[in-house]
Amino acid sequence: MRSPSKAFTALLLTALIAAPAVAPTTSSAAEAPLVVSGYSDDRVDSGWGLFSFCGDDLRAMLSDTSNFGAGGVVERPISLASPGVDAVTPGSLDGVDVFFTGWVETSTYTADERAALLDFVLGGGAVIATTDGTDHNIADLFGLTLTDSNYTSATPVAPASPLINGPFGTVTTITFSGDQGIYTGLGAASVIAEADPSLGPAVALLPPGALGPGSGPVVLVADVDVFSTADENCVDGPGMGAVANSVFVRNVFAYLANLSETPTTTTTSQPVESSTTTTTTGATSVPRATPRFTG
């Protein structure tokens, strides 16, 4: 067989280089996981946290690939950044997309920690804040006012919200247990569910951009029990907890998984609360993520 001429070989190489690449059709690139962190077992009260025994059911839901992962209801997997953090500090949430607070005493939040948590949201991170009452509250950091209350359920009032009508189904009621709060002042948030009977907002949402350009979303739920393990140690009775609220709980994380994009790191200046980290111009430069949640 005769060898091809040099001219023909050159033409062939030119054509191959110029030809557009054809993507494989047998598989697609895996989606980057949604990284979820929270306070450690040492920080939360009595095991009421994502990485404590009262978070067993929640962690199981998030780790179930039939819920989140390739071939699941939501294709994006969730990565749990166990064992969580004892305190939020600048840089402690690098690489984290969503932070779940759990049952944390109001008095334990220092000014520096509040500033760091707010900066995380202003930089594009998302927070799920569970605020069971004024003694376990961080809602004021995001512009909401909370008062103490007591009820056992809440009715959705925002049927079009992806938290209520999402990929895991439609929420008709949300069950609560123990002590709760009511959001008597909403700031820039919108009401998602009202405590029964017509007591006031029990679930609220700050969408992306509500706290400033590029800010991430904040989901506020006035009872950590909504997300907690469904046994006698973590809720007051059957039909409560994360299992009973599984549609709502999974819709919350689906909303965040579908909303966010892969983060990149930049440095930006933003006002913060802490007097110890604020510069003379009222701003501090800390590593932060570029906006990764879009409305």
Side-chain angles (χ1 to χ4, degrees):
M1 182 175 178
R2 288 169 38 176
S3 299
S5 67
K6 292 182 179 180
F8 176 80
T9 301
L11 287 172
L12 179 61
L13 289 173
T14 302
L16 289 173
I17 293 171
V22 178
T25 57
T26 56
S27 64
S28 59
E31 290 199 52
L34 182 78
V35 180
V36 179
S37 186
Y39 283 116
S40 66
D41 184 55
D42 289 337
R43 177 64 184 276
V44 300
D45 266 1
S46 306
W48 297 85
L50 173 61
F51 299 112
S52 306
F53 67 90
C54 284
D56 288 350
D57 285 351
L58 175 57
R59 293 196 309 278
M61 284 183 190
L62 301 182
S63 301
D64 187 342
T65 54
S66 67
N67 291 328
F68 300 93
V73 175
V74 175
E75 288 281 332
R76 188 174 187 185
I78 289 179
S79 175
L80 299 175
S82 179
V85 298
D86 293 336
V88 175
T89 60
S92 66
L93 300 184
D94 286 353
V96 170
D97 298 304
V98 179
F99 188 79
F100 182 94
T101 61
W103 204 43
V104 176
E105 287 188 25
T106 307
S107 61
T108 66
Y109 288 102
T110 66
D112 286 349
E113 183 172 32
R114 286 170 59 90
L117 188 57
L118 179 60
D119 196 72
F120 172 69
V121 174
L122 292 176
V127 166
I128 299 173
T130 56
T131 59
D132 294 50
T134 53
D135 58 346
H136 292 80
N137 182 35
I138 193 66
D140 64 307
L141 181 65
F142 308 111
L144 287 81
T145 303
L146 185 84
T147 58
D148 295 324
S149 188
N150 189 271
Y151 48 92
T152 59
S153 64
T155 299
V157 295
S161 169
L163 306 185
I164 301 303
N165 187 8
F168 290 97
T170 300
V171 179
T172 56
T173 189
I174 304 171
T175 62
F176 291 72
S177 178
D179 297 326
Q180 300 82 33
I182 289 290
Y183 301 112
T184 52
L186 288 170
S190 58
V191 183
I192 301 299
E194 292 264 357
D196 299 322
S198 302
L199 296 176
V203 179
L205 173 66
L206 285 160
L211 296 179
S215 64
V218 181
V219 179
L220 298 107
V221 180
D223 189 4
V224 69
D225 302 61
V226 169
F227 297 90
S228 297
T229 301
D231 65 24
E232 66 275 9
N233 293 314
C234 296
V235 294
D236 288 343
M240 299 179 181
V243 172
N245 293 309
S246 63
V247 174
F248 172 73
V249 169
R250 289 178 294 171
N251 277 351
V252 168
F253 284 91
Y255 164 72
L256 299 173
N258 291 328
L259 200 63
S260 66
E261 301 170 352
T262 303
T264 56
T265 300
T266 61
T267 301
T268 310
S269 295
Q270 285 288 347
V272 297
E273 291 189 355
S274 170
S275 59
T276 60
T277 58
T278 303
T279 66
T280 55
T281 58
T284 184
S285 296
V286 297
R288 59 196 310 181
T290 58
R292 55 191 180 273
F293 289 90
T294 55

